[in-house]
Amino acid sequence: MELGEIIAYNLKELRTERNLTLGQLSRRSGISKAMLSEIEKGGSNPTINTLWKIANGLHVPYTRLMDSIEREITVVRKSELTVQTGETEHYRVFCYFGSAPVRNFELLYAELDAHSSNASIGHSEKTQEYIYMIQGELFLQTDTGSHTLAKGDALVFDSSIGHTYINQTDALIKFLIINFYPAAL
């Protein structure tokens, strides 16, 4: 099943489980009814921020919208993943493991092109974001301050606040993100 079909299925399932109309979810998430309908039909490839807004409106982890059934042992190959982009193509995220009933975290690999940035809306309440730098130098701006991370550095913060990933260098940067949901969602 393609990622768009998985998102469509999960969105409809989550919305109907909560007895929400498209209009109610639209008001909760800030995404238009028309866009939500198009996503539910599998006719749209939503951006990362669109998925975050929908997830926040449904009070679920971001990757819950991308959940699929896993086997006992799962091997994930980057070449088989679907890339998600920010508002521009300069920020790319690959979801290796999404949240699941037995897993309350998401493991994402991210790339940010030289001299670019990506703003992320705050995630679900009480969510913690862990970042580990693989390559380059990341400048992270949050609503409460800023931090610079170099290769091998790591950081954790309350990701329910807005934050922006910034690459001020001349080279591509690569980092891992773990979004941890302390309470079962």
Side-chain angles (χ1 to χ4, degrees):
M1 190 181 289
E2 294 292 320
L3 182 60
E5 294 171 322
I6 293 169
I7 292 170
Y9 175 84
N10 288 332
L11 174 56
K12 185 165 189 159
E13 180 181 84
L14 289 165
R15 184 177 62 77
T16 55
E17 278 176 6
R18 288 158 176 73
N19 294 316
L20 293 173
T21 65
L22 285 171
Q24 290 168 323
L25 181 55
S26 175
R27 287 187 291 282
R28 283 182 166 196
S29 65
I31 304 297
S32 73
K33 276 176 48 174
M35 175 61 81
L36 289 170
S37 176
E38 192 65 21
I39 294 168
E40 269 193 15
K41 292 176 188 171
S44 174
N45 185 17
T47 66
I48 294 167
N49 278 342
T50 298
L51 290 176
W52 272 114
K53 288 177 182 179
I54 294 168
N56 287 344
L58 292 167
H59 303 292
V60 298
Y62 159 77
T63 55
R64 177 60 184 89
L65 290 165
M66 296 175 279
D67 280 352
S68 59
I69 298 169
E70 293 182 13
R71 296 167 206 83
E72 221 172 281
I73 295 176
T74 303
V75 175
V76 180
R77 304 204 188 284
K78 185 179 179 198
S79 62
E80 298 171 356
L81 296 176
T82 301
V83 64
Q84 291 284 299
T85 60
E87 299 303 317
T88 69
E89 301 288 321
H90 296 291
Y91 177 65
R92 295 167 298 283
V93 174
F94 300 83
C95 180
Y96 279 81
F97 296 100
S99 64
V102 295
R103 183 177 45 242
N104 60 346
F105 69 89
E106 303 160 337
L107 176 62
L108 310 162
Y109 165 80
E111 297 177 343
L112 185 60
D113 291 333
H115 302 288
S116 60
S117 64
N118 187 75
S120 180
I121 63 169
H123 307 325
S124 303
E125 187 179 341
K126 299 182 183 177
T127 304
Q128 296 172 316
E129 184 165 320
Y130 295 77
I131 297 176
Y132 174 78
M133 289 303 299
I134 298 170
Q135 172 184 305
E137 183 177 277
L138 171 69
F139 183 76
L140 178 72
Q141 179 70 50
T142 71
D143 290 348
T144 60
S146 59
H147 305 277
T148 302
L149 300 173
K151 179 180 177 180
D153 291 347
L155 152 127
V156 62
F157 66 99
D158 172 0
S159 59
S160 66
I161 60 175
H163 49 285
T164 304
Y165 311 109
I166 303 168
N167 181 355
Q168 299 172 331
T169 72
D170 294 329
L172 172 76
I173 61 173
K174 301 175 181 180
F175 51 103
L176 291 178
I177 300 170
I178 296 173
N179 288 313
F180 175 70
Y181 302 91
L185 297 173

